[in-house]
Amino acid sequence: MSAIERHSIGEHNFLTGSPSDVILDIFCHLAIADLLAVRCCSGSRYFSEILWRTHCRCHPTVSHSVNRNVWRPSEPYYRTIHLPSNRPITWVRLVLGQWVLIASSDTSSSIIALWHLSSLLQVGRESTVSPVAQAFLDGPVEQGLVQVHRYHGVTIALCLKKRIPCISVMTIENLGQTAAFRQLTTIPDASHLRFLRGFYIGVAFSQNISIPSVHNWRTGDVDYLQTIPDLKGGYIDMAARSNWIAAVSRMHLHIYILDFLGSGRCKFWRGLNMPIAMSSACFDEGSVSVVPSVDEESEKLYLCVGNRRGIHIYEVVCRPLDDHLELIPVWTHNLGLVAQKHESLTVQPRFGASPHVITWLRDCVDLSFLPTFVAARIPTPDSVVGTGDVIEISDPNLPSLYCQPVRDFDEARGVAIFGNAFGELALIDFSGVAGRSQEILESCFQPLSFPPSFGCDLLPTEPVHCVFAPPFPYCGGDLYDEHKEYLFELWREHEPENIPEGWDTDWELWGGWVCFVNGFQFAGIASLLENAYHYYGQVIPLLQRPYDYLIFEAGGFLFVLREHGLVPYIAYELIAPEELATMIDANDGLASAPVTRIPKLDDTRHLELGNTQRRWEYEREHQKRNRWQELVDRGGKVHWSLLAKDIHYRPRKNSQ
């Protein structure tokens, strides 16, 4: 019996005779074992009322107590549960401290599965563990969002990366002993999933992916937030609150007023210039639960900005009725001179289950340093947590964090999940509890029930496939021959009618989209224009003057790249590619052409993508480990060019 349990016995104990704020202050300092003991003793009814004050999360005291071990760098306790897959892991999400959604994909299909978190935590202790629900999708999952509804289950939106991308909207229904995924709708030609709130989804469409859009998935109505793309690139992230939408680009923060109850249309309200240069950014998703009332806390919005110097958190104060918009600095985590000297990068910032915890990955161009998972607790005015609550995990036994890593972190439950393109998947349990205590801890969270199924529009439980779109997964290697043929076919469809003398469209002579092209280091630039955090769109080469100039389009803009150029020029006037080529010939250069250098491409994203190949080769050479081969050995399908760079390499029989 713990100390707190012994002192709680009796008719007049401190739980029933002390003010609630005093009890909360005391509970914030308890270890998880003592906290759970309180819930089991005579004061459990009173304590349950404290736990259930919020609609969708357990009380913050649980978060503080669960993570006592997590937030002490001198006591880094955690245990790892490995769950390797024979497909790349492309999306993971922890839901309400009880459920786990995992998407695993190959070039033409995906499996989306719902697992009970407690069952995954027992892997290795129990003989069989099966998902509660599982379905197949006809395309690789690229990203996803989840919204929990208080009375009728969840809504899930997944972006499928196939030849014609789409967003699949689905829910989960109860089949009795199991559950099933039911299709709600599909949004064709949509990608870049940004937010999900009710029937509204923030997306972009493939023809104009740098223009943010709001799509009503129930009615099919689309509202474009801009009429023309921005020369400085697309929006990085979006967020929605009760009647307004925030969108952040590399340079600006824009607020749009949304009439949720009326026309459903968006109207630009106000904008701000970003105070610092950024390479990545994200908003907090707010409460994952739809609640009937809107209070001041639920309307708060936090923005995280990452760059070479560190992580910066701002509160977006938006009050349209008062005509007030402001960015208030909340917290900054600097990398320090040592980290900057080694070109340490802060990539993929992401808020935890609440906006008071931020996580990111820190990579380094020095390959002797492992990529690191970092989590930080953001102090609040009434917080009992100190400003030094930052943890770092760099463990070679965890899934690699350099090849398309995906992750989620629930600080209240004390659990993190990691996956990557190598098919590596692992749960990390920070709670420090096991057995019966895990069940008690789980019961502190809002239960999630799924509505009964009527058997309509259920997603298939047998494999379905699509015509794949390159590249998947992108890791810096050569494209498959099928991918190259598709790209050549796509580029021919956009070939100009009149090709000036001295220019050509002989793309088949190229070594492939990700190789050096006639002296142009085009691979990294093409990938950045489509995949960088401030993106333009898919690159379509139009004309080339061999070993001299390359003209291409992306996101509705015309670009020109010189031989060995690192940053392309962008046309700021409407001009045909043939006309631009003629101007280059007439002036032997770009002196009179209506072009300007684009803003510096996202250097952290460039290094992040470049480090994938470099780290893989470093592991093969120095650690004698080939993670692609390990995926093949588990039954995965991997192209042999991803297994080795040696032209004399011969793949094993079970590799493609």
Side-chain angles (χ1 to χ4, degrees):
M1 183 180 296
S2 64
I4 191 68
E5 188 176 8
R6 291 196 302 270
H7 286 86
S8 298
I9 298 176
E11 184 177 356
H12 302 287
N13 57 64
F14 92 99
L15 284 176
T16 58
S18 302
S20 60
D21 56 343
V22 174
I23 296 175
L24 281 175
D25 287 340
I26 295 174
F27 285 170
C28 286
H29 294 277
L30 294 179
I32 186 60
D34 285 334
L35 185 69
L36 297 179
V38 168
R39 193 172 189 272
C40 297
C41 70
S42 59
S44 60
R45 177 178 300 180
Y46 179 79
F47 183 61
S48 296
E49 293 177 0
I50 299 174
L51 289 174
W52 287 89
R53 282 185 179 181
T54 57
H55 291 283
C56 65
R57 304 300 312 170
C58 65
H59 195 274
T61 52
V62 175
S63 174
H64 296 326
S65 300
V66 168
N67 291 289
R68 280 177 62 86
N69 291 317
V70 178
W71 303 107
R72 291 179 179 176
S74 60
E75 301 176 19
Y77 170 82
Y78 59 88
R79 68 186 183 98
T80 305
I81 300 96
H82 290 278
L83 309 162
S85 169
N86 61 359
R87 291 168 175 249
I89 305 298
T90 52
W91 180 69
V92 293
R93 180 56 58 94
L94 298 164
V95 182
L96 293 182
Q98 304 157 74
W99 303 96
V100 186
L101 286 164
I102 301 173
S104 54
S105 309
D106 58 27
T107 58
S108 61
S109 67
S110 294
I111 299 176
I112 177 69
L114 174 70
W115 296 81
H116 204 290
L117 177 58
S118 61
S119 67
L120 290 181
L121 291 173
Q122 298 301 316
V123 169
R125 300 174 181 173
E126 297 182 0
S127 56
T128 58
V129 177
S130 301
V132 178
Q134 180 174 288
F136 283 85
L137 303 170
D138 60 341
V141 172
E142 189 174 30
Q143 54 182 157
L145 290 173
V146 177
Q147 188 172 42
V148 179
H149 305 282
R150 192 178 186 189
Y151 299 113
H152 51 284
V154 299
T155 300
I156 305 168
L158 299 177
C159 179
L160 303 184
K161 184 180 177 65
K162 47 187 180 179
R163 187 161 294 193
I164 299 178
C166 72
I167 290 177
S168 178
V169 184
M170 64 193 70
T171 187
I172 300 174
E173 294 182 341
N174 189 358
L175 294 177
Q177 298 298 321
T178 60
F181 291 90
R182 181 170 75 88
Q183 184 79 49
L184 296 176
T185 190
T186 298
I187 307 173
D189 202 33
S191 62
H192 293 77
L193 187 60
R194 296 307 186 202
F195 74 83
L196 172 63
R197 185 181 178 92
F199 298 117
Y200 291 91
I201 302 181
V203 300
F205 291 89
S206 64
Q207 299 304 315
N208 297 285
I209 68 172
S210 60
I211 296 180
S213 309
V214 177
H215 188 283
N216 186 318
W217 62 262
R218 183 180 61 172
T219 64
D221 295 335
V222 180
D223 195 4
Y224 295 94
L225 301 189
Q226 289 181 194
T227 56
I228 59 174
D230 191 334
L231 276 170
K232 297 178 181 179
Y235 281 86
I236 302 173
D237 201 12
M238 300 168 64
R241 291 301 183 259
S242 62
N243 66 340
W244 52 276
I245 291 174
V248 62
S249 67
R250 189 168 182 262
M251 311 293 290
H252 305 287
L253 171 69
H254 289 162
I255 303 295
Y256 299 83
I257 303 301
L258 176 58
D259 184 5
F260 275 109
L261 301 178
S263 64
R265 311 298 293 181
C266 298
K267 182 180 179 181
F268 176 75
W269 176 54
R270 289 187 62 183
L272 289 175
N273 292 328
M274 293 302 300
I276 63 174
M278 71 174 75
S279 59
S280 56
C282 70
F283 290 108
D284 77 280
E285 296 181 17
S287 172
V288 296
S289 177
V290 175
V291 295
S293 62
V294 177
D295 54 27
E296 183 179 352
E297 184 67 25
S298 66
E299 285 296 280
K300 286 186 176 181
L301 179 64
Y302 293 89
L303 170 64
C304 175
V305 173
N307 58 23
R308 281 181 175 270
R309 296 185 179 273
I311 293 290
H312 311 269
I313 307 291
Y314 298 90
E315 180 183 350
V316 181
V317 179
C318 179
R319 294 193 295 269
L321 295 179
D322 300 330
D323 194 35
H324 181 74
L325 177 63
E326 184 181 5
L327 272 179
I328 300 178
V330 174
W331 181 80
T332 296
H333 176 70
N334 292 316
L335 287 178
L337 295 177
V338 175
Q340 292 180 34
K341 181 180 178 181
H342 289 87
E343 293 192 79
S344 183
L345 314 172
T346 56
V347 298
Q348 298 185 20
R350 190 169 304 155
F351 286 94
S354 77
H356 303 299
V357 172
I358 186 73
T359 70
W360 67 90
L361 303 180
R362 189 175 67 229
D363 202 357
C364 186
V365 295
D366 187 341
L367 301 184
S368 63
F369 290 86
L370 288 175
T372 303
F373 169 74
V374 186
R377 179 170 290 171
I378 304 168
T380 58
D382 56 348
S383 175
V384 298
V385 186
T387 57
D389 291 327
V390 177
I391 61 169
E392 299 182 358
I393 298 178
S394 182
D395 190 337
N397 295 319
L398 293 181
S400 166
L401 299 178
Y402 69 80
C403 188
Q404 292 191 3
V406 293
R407 71 184 192 278
D408 198 12
F409 179 52
D410 189 331
E411 68 279 4
R413 187 64 169 82
V415 172
I417 185 169
F418 296 90
N420 59 27
F422 295 124
E424 298 170 333
L425 179 68
L427 272 171
I428 300 182
D429 180 15
F430 297 102
S431 66
V433 299
R436 175 61 179 164
S437 295
Q438 282 280 6
E439 298 177 10
I440 298 174
L441 176 60
E442 184 173 308
S443 66
C444 294
F445 292 82
Q446 172 190 341
L448 177 60
S449 60
F450 305 117
S453 175
F454 297 98
C456 301
D457 301 320
L458 297 183
L459 288 172
T461 56
E462 298 294 331
V464 290
H465 300 276
C466 72
V467 179
F468 54 75
F472 177 86
Y474 180 76
C475 63
D478 292 335
L479 288 180
Y480 308 173
D481 291 338
E482 300 91 333
H483 287 175
K484 295 177 184 178
E485 288 302 320
Y486 160 68
L487 286 175
F488 296 153
E489 179 183 339
L490 177 65
W491 297 348
R492 291 189 197 101
E493 293 176 359
H494 294 78
E495 185 176 297
E497 294 184 2
N498 301 312
I499 300 178
E501 184 179 356
W503 296 75
D504 65 56
T505 58
D506 298 330
W507 312 125
E508 287 83 350
L509 300 179
W510 291 25
W513 184 60
V514 294
C515 298
F516 280 66
V517 181
N518 287 350
F520 298 105
Q521 192 173 356
F522 192 55
I525 293 175
S527 177
L528 285 174
L529 288 171
E530 183 174 3
N531 300 308
Y533 295 121
H534 73 290
Y535 55 88
Y536 285 89
Q538 184 179 14
V539 167
I540 306 292
L542 300 173
L543 291 169
Q544 67 169 339
R545 199 167 79 179
Y547 301 97
D548 199 358
Y549 285 94
L550 173 68
I551 297 175
F552 60 93
E553 66 178 12
F557 289 107
L558 201 62
F559 295 83
V560 58
L561 180 68
R562 298 194 64 176
E563 181 183 9
H564 302 303
L566 298 178
V567 179
Y569 291 80
I570 186 171
Y572 54 80
E573 293 181 3
L574 186 62
I575 185 174
E578 307 96 306
E579 184 180 355
L580 180 58
T582 302
M583 295 179 69
I584 293 174
D585 289 338
N587 297 279
D588 195 26
L590 300 172
S592 62
V595 297
T596 183
R597 281 186 178 271
I598 65 172
K600 187 177 181 180
L601 284 173
D602 191 329
D603 52 354
T604 63
R605 182 62 169 167
H606 177 76
L607 291 171
E608 179 187 352
L609 292 172
N611 268 8
T612 298
Q613 186 73 16
R614 293 174 64 243
R615 284 195 176 278
W616 176 75
E617 292 176 347
Y618 182 87
E619 280 189 337
R620 283 188 61 243
E621 181 178 354
H622 296 278
Q623 301 174 8
K624 308 304 179 183
R625 182 175 184 182
N626 188 335
R627 295 179 188 264
W628 287 120
Q629 185 63 62
E630 293 173 12
L631 177 57
V632 171
D633 294 340
R634 292 195 298 270
K637 297 180 179 179
V638 175
H639 192 265
W640 67 267
S641 65
L642 300 177
L643 300 177
K645 280 295 182 182
D646 185 354
I647 60 174
H648 301 293
Y649 174 82
R650 291 294 180 266
R652 301 183 185 181
K653 294 182 178 180
N654 60 340
S655 63
Q656 287 188 334

